[in-house]
Amino acid sequence: MAEFGELEAQDGVRMPWNIIPVATKKEQAIDSEVPVSAIYTLLKPLGSHSLLLPYSPLRCRTCRSVLNPYSVVDFSASIWGCPFCFHRNPFPRNYSSIADNSLPPELFPNATTVEYLCDSFSSPPSPPPPPVFVFVVDTCLIYEELDFLKSSLFQALDLLPDTSVVGLVTFDSLVRVYELGFPHCTKSYFFHGKKDCTKDQLLDQLSFFVKNPKPSSGVIAGVRDGLSSDDIARFLLPVSDCQFALHSVIEELESSPWLVAADHRPVRCTGAALRIAAGLLGACFPGSAARIMAFIGGPSTEGPGAIVSRELSDPIRSHKDIDKESALYYHKAVEFYETLAKQLVHQGHVLDVFACSVDQVGIAELKVAVEQTGGFVVLAESFGHSVFRDSLKRVFQSGENDLRLSSCGIFEINCSKDIRVQGIIGPCASLEKKGPLCSDTAIGQGHTSAWKMCGLDKNTSICLVFEIAKRDTAEIVLQSQSNQFYFQFLTYYQHSNGQTRLRVTTLSRRWVMGTESLQELSNGFDQEAAAVVMARLLSFKMETQLEFNPQRWVDKALINLCTWFGDYQKGDPSSFSLSSQLSIFPQFVFHLRRSQFVQVFNNSPDETAYFRMLLYRENVSNSIVMIQPSLVAFSLHSQPEPILLDVASIAADRILLLDSYFTLVIFHGSAIAQWRKAGYHNQPEHQAFKHLLQSPRDFTDTIISERFPSPRLVICDQYGSQARFLLAKLNPSDGGDAPFSGESNVFTDDVSLSVFLDHLRRLIVR
């Protein structure tokens, strides 16, 4: 799989089928099991492959695709042919010196991904707009939790650039919008949490038109459309101008003063607060790089977006309640947040949610607004937990491991004429740009060839699903001009430094008749990318299709794929084998069936939504760790080495490091734990043991510094209560009946990997 990693390093793309199967209408399509698709990391840092061009791109007059290395160039006639629509386009005058030995950079063979600096020649050059942050803070917190949150907010404010524009909204049963530009004392405006406040009502109540008359018509949006800069600066102003006032307000924040009965939940109007923050940003900074950062400590119980009643006797909805349509508040809350998502997407703004509570807060309902705006979600047990603190710090920090936040993105796609786009599963919203590229079948955000991406970072990845047009006969397919398919991805975005850029990635993939070239197809099969695409498809189907059976769907896909590509004699399971290009794929499917994306038992709707939101936005490498965690062994007798994710890997004299993406587990074998408790690592003659204990901590520190959200770190001993974090992820190879190495047992109803593969072989050869 190293060659697929090299392709990703060059263009940020991983495709399950790097040689694309094509079938006629009479044939069964091989790609019906794993569709032709691509996992594209839009702003992946390309290192030495990066190419930034300080001019506008040259486009095809017919299909608007950008000049690329696959364009056919006629130097004598100064014409280039578009590989997508085959239209011939003349070069403009500034390309007059083009020749075979004097190519513009975008025609270099390795320039399959280039960036154009769109505003490099704007006259006069306008200063980059500052980033805008509105902090929406839940004050229905106990004293200790609020103190933890205030401490993290102070740290975040210190990391913000001085030019950043900030605002503050707090809420309990009421919503408070703080006038940070009022220098004399703390001043705020109150809104009732039961009511949904429109933008016009918000502007009237915030006294925006006391000095200046309200425009009689048109949309009120920013300084250009009716608002004065002085009015905007009352609530949203640069950090450097309000740092003292903002610190004072946050320092004075106290827990909600309203008494809560012992059998009731606090009155919390999360939805109303988010609506007011969105309305304030939409009026003051439309279309700018703005983020609403919501810090929520419990479930919404009041007003729009409420997920549960105030009475503790009414439990918060579970997966079973949602499936049985007995969750009274669920659909109404989802409908409210869908409306909020449309508003934020229209404004170009992002919603980030930091949920810290031992109870559910409504992530399952908020999911649509966070996902469609490209926002972050962080789920932790407390505002004092390292998961929250480290994650919030990563959002604002600069340097080697910064997130490189970008904004105001639009993603478009061009394809060869035999390819249709079914949709995108990922953090984006449809722009409803219909055309011949759109398939009749929609998956995720479909029926369009352009998408809005309000927030992006260097790890944001989308899954594009394609449909290959079938033909009547193989001869018609083979008579086409070439056996190449072309894809072009165009991402317009505002860079973190304020520049407007366009990144263009152009790909070419060869196609073959699926039933005739199985060996070629298997050579181009990327089993890691295939597993990630299936995980996204499976999660999407579980969310959108009633009565969907995920195990049956994924098992059928695996059986059919192995039937196509496996080598076996009918009726003889022992004769079955797969080529190295597909040999690990059944193992991925086994772990996918056991993963948190499929098994919702023992997970709340909030946790399941959180897991899937991260799966939808992460690249292949990170997603594979979510599906099949990695396990590394540390011992005194050998260097750290990856080992099988199996209960047999546990040994008394080993330390195991499990990385399941969301959680890092350092597991000490029983002998290691005894030596540590005896203090051997503090004795000079046992420096090797001290180094052994420190090695997995160094590994985890590196992972935590590079990952967002920050994973939870669990340090445990064999036979300890927290050892369950490791045991739940291991393959139960002993079936729970016999002791494995270390004299421990795992009791589970899951079949082992060997039993799963044995059943698979029997079904295939039958």
Side-chain angles (χ1 to χ4, degrees), residues 136-157:
V136 180
V137 179
D138 178 5
T139 58
C140 293
L141 305 173
I142 62 174
Y143 178 78
E144 293 83 1
E145 283 293 294
L146 188 58
D147 265 5
F148 287 140
L149 176 55
K150 287 158 64 172
S151 175
S152 293
L153 288 176
F154 288 139
Q155 184 182 40
L157 291 173

Side-chain angles (χ1 to χ4, degrees), residues 591-608:
H591 289 286
L592 176 60
R593 295 170 90 257
R594 302 178 70 222
S595 71
Q596 61 272 17
F597 309 117
V598 177
Q599 302 295 335
V600 299
F601 176 76
N602 213 26
N603 286 330
S604 68
D606 274 14
E607 289 172 317
T608 299

Side-chain angles (χ1 to χ4, degrees), residues 385-430:
H385 201 286
S386 61
V387 171
F388 166 72
R389 294 198 319 269
D390 294 345
S391 298
L392 181 62
K393 183 179 178 181
R394 279 289 308 283
V395 173
F396 300 106
Q397 80 176 26
S398 58
E400 183 180 356
N401 293 319
D402 69 332
L403 297 177
R404 301 188 189 180
L405 297 181
S406 300
S407 57
C408 306
I410 292 178
F411 177 77
E412 295 183 355
I413 186 170
N414 287 315
C415 302
S416 295
K417 63 178 182 178
D418 291 321
I419 300 175
R420 304 288 181 270
V421 183
Q422 291 185 310
I424 288 178
I425 301 176
C428 63
S430 169

